[in-house]
Amino acid sequence: MSVTAIEGDWEFISEKGYDPVKVSIKNIMGSDWMVACMIPKGNMMASTLKKTEDQNGFKLVNFNCSNKKETPRENKDLETDFKAFLGKGICSLAREGKSLSMTAGSESRYFTQDDVLTKQEEERKAKLMSAKGSGRFG
């Protein structure tokens, strides 16, 4: 499967937190990748990665976590856990259908595709199509 197939929005649901972890993966250019992570009402985390020369994995270039917000109690453990996970350095990202596995150090986390933006766009298009058919427009 093409490595660009991992690009997009993903979510991780855990019993450690009330809200899901939202992750966006983007190929910046060439072998440079960005993994942005946020827990609603929490701090932003970002990993800058470089694809390894053998093209089989990733190497952590930089990891940042904001400390601007006091994370709500119901998500604090999840944020602490995820910050430690990402701090180890993502070394593997693999997609299978609507699932993504992310490995950092010797740990793996499994995500599902977050298609909320796709659903919103489909709803918007459906509204436009129904408005056209109503005779109200052109």
Side-chain angles (χ1 to χ4, degrees):
M1 176 172 284
S2 167
V3 74
T4 56
I6 62 176
E7 287 190 86
D9 298 317
W10 304 89
E11 67 180 3
F12 175 78
I13 298 171
S14 170
E15 65 280 349
K16 290 183 180 181
Y18 180 76
D19 293 307
V21 177
K22 301 289 188 170
V23 172
S24 291
I25 300 172
K26 180 74 178 149
N27 181 212
I28 300 168
M29 182 173 34
S31 63
D32 297 330
W33 289 76
M34 174 69 71
V35 178
C37 170
M38 196 192 101
I39 299 168
K41 299 177 240 100
N43 288 296
M44 183 76 180
M45 295 172 253
S47 295
T48 306
L49 309 173
K50 187 165 279 295
K51 192 86 172 124
T52 57
E53 288 183 29
D54 64 7
Q55 300 295 307
N56 289 330
F58 293 90
K59 177 179 75 171
L60 181 65
V61 175
N62 191 22
F63 173 69
N64 288 313
C65 180
S66 68
N67 286 317
K68 295 179 181 176
K69 297 180 180 179
E70 181 59 36
T71 305
R73 189 171 29 99
E74 65 267 18
N75 287 332
K76 189 68 177 164
D77 289 344
L78 178 59
E79 183 177 273
T80 301
D81 179 61
F82 222 81
K83 183 178 179 181
F85 172 73
L86 291 175
K88 294 175 185 175
I90 297 168
C91 57
S92 174
L93 294 165
R95 179 178 179 166
E96 190 170 313
K98 290 190 174 217
S99 297
L100 176 85
S101 70
M102 179 185 293
T103 304
S106 59
E107 284 184 68
S108 292
R109 305 281 165 92
Y110 300 93
F111 297 77
T112 55
Q113 196 168 25
D114 185 3
D115 53 4
V116 70
L117 294 176
T118 305
K119 287 178 185 174
Q120 288 173 349
E121 181 65 18
E122 288 170 358
E123 288 173 9
R124 188 185 68 77
K125 284 181 181 177
K127 282 182 182 177
L128 284 173
M129 293 307 291
S130 67
K132 277 186 176 180
S134 71
R136 290 178 22 209
F137 298 104

